Amino acid sequence: MDRENELMEEDSKKQKHWNKKCIVLLIVILLTGIVMVVGSSYALFAIQLKGEEVNRVTIGTFDIQFKEGMTLNLSNEKPLSEAQGLAQDPYSFTIKNAGTVDAKYRIYLEGKEEENQISKNYLRLAYQKKDATPNVIRLSDLDENLTLASEISLKAGESDTWEIRFWLDQDAPNAFQGKNFSFKVKVEAIQNVNVEMVGTPPVIYLNGGAENVEVGQTYVDPGVYSVSDAEDGVLPNEIVVNSYEFYNPATEELTTVPNIVTSVPGVLFIHYQVSDSNGNLSLATRPVTVGPLSTASITLVGDTFVEVPLNEEYVDPGYQSLTPVKVLSTPNTNVKGVYSVKYVTTDADGLAKGISRIVRVK
């Protein structure tokens, strides 16, 4: 009996030991399974994150200039062959990117359907950049938006000149004689606004310097004192990009210039642009009078830095001056970016003085 009890106890111990081994093995299997699931989930999550990275683009002063109002009319014209149509003098227009970053634009036609109108099937159109091979089409071949050219890239400070010819096709029936067709040429600026601001933009601190330079004299740009960023710390001054605009009070025109100019009296606007590691862009502007200092005075009302939500109207805080003031630029609130709004005034001698306000559209 005692021997039988001993054997039973020994079997019980073996069973308990086996049960422990099974439990340990089961725990190991479970842990391995959990690790595999977590590993797979993390890999999948990582792939999803990679696929959802923010598409950042550099945004700066973005300004397409085109004088609208050019209307093309076709009335009581004789049908022409393609060779005759291409031999006509073209309608010409120029598109200029007066901003500080590269841009894109599209060209389209705007017209309204009228009863006494020539059918689009019999209207031929030739269009091209100047000196390029013309694209010859029927007006009916265009899309519903009458788009001539889309997604055309234009570098900052550069211009494109386009030419258009159009005529009544030689296959047009006599029924279209005496009818007419007219449309306007339109240009629309395009920019990717899928921009998410990460962190805060850097701050540009300018060195003090002379407010004017005599005509014909060399102006030494005092430059940037420092660039500070909340995330990146102090940034090197070497990453600052300069661009220049010049206002000529004699012609009342603001033009983009490749470098510092002092050949004629006016106001030189020096722009300083910098981006941090997150792609956030900042802009600062230094106005310099070329010529004797103007006796005119102008001060800004409100802050020199203003933020405006995307697609909302920009209301300028205003300015104070005893002489007439010309506002040279306004921000495009349909495009995220940083803009320099420039103001100039002139005294009785025609000497100009400028000032600027930085506006961020976010």
Side-chain angles (χ1 to χ4, degrees), residues 57-239:
V57 295
T58 301
I59 299 293
T61 305
F62 178 65
D63 184 15
I64 289 286
Q65 291 186 349
F66 168 70
K67 291 184 179 180
E68 293 190 353
M70 185 177 75
T71 302
L72 306 187
N73 295 292
L74 193 65
S75 178
N76 294 320
E77 296 289 339
K78 293 181 180 179
L80 301 176
S81 66
E82 182 173 314
Q84 290 172 325
L86 291 173
Q88 297 181 105
D89 292 333
Y91 295 89
S92 180
F93 59 96
T94 299
I95 302 166
K96 179 180 180 180
N97 181 0
T100 59
V101 297
D102 297 350
K104 292 182 179 181
Y105 65 87
R106 77 180 185 98
I107 305 172
Y108 63 101
L109 308 178
E110 185 180 81
K112 59 181 180 179
E113 299 288 340
E114 296 178 357
E115 184 176 348
N116 191 39
Q117 179 175 288
I118 302 170
S119 170
K120 294 178 183 177
N121 292 322
Y122 298 105
L123 287 172
R124 301 296 295 271
L125 187 75
Y127 62 95
Q128 81 274 1
K129 285 186 183 180
K130 191 173 182 180
D131 299 326
T133 302
N135 302 291
V136 182
I137 60 168
R138 297 183 188 274
L139 214 61
S140 57
D141 294 335
L142 297 177
D143 60 22
E144 60 181 6
N145 297 316
L146 298 181
T147 303
L148 292 183
S150 182
E151 298 283 327
I152 305 299
S153 297
L154 185 59
K155 292 185 177 296
E158 294 189 358
S159 300
D160 284 342
T161 297
W162 288 78
E163 296 179 340
I164 293 181
R165 299 171 176 86
F166 80 120
W167 62 92
L168 183 63
D169 190 77
Q170 62 182 357
D171 295 331
N174 291 333
F176 287 113
Q177 291 186 9
K179 294 191 177 184
N180 58 68
F181 191 92
S182 65
F183 55 81
K184 284 187 177 181
V185 179
K186 307 283 283 187
V187 174
E188 178 183 50
I190 304 170
Q191 176 112 354
N192 182 1
V193 295
N194 182 26
V195 180
E196 179 178 313
M197 185 176 292
V198 180
T200 56
V203 180
I204 302 173
Y205 299 94
L206 299 182
N207 283 316
E211 295 183 3
N212 79 301
V213 58
E214 293 298 327
V215 175
Q217 297 296 309
T218 300
Y219 179 76
V220 179
D221 181 7
V224 172
Y225 174 72
S226 69
V227 181
S228 177
D229 185 72
E231 290 76 33
D232 297 337
V234 178
L235 301 176
N237 291 357
E238 288 76 13
I239 69 173

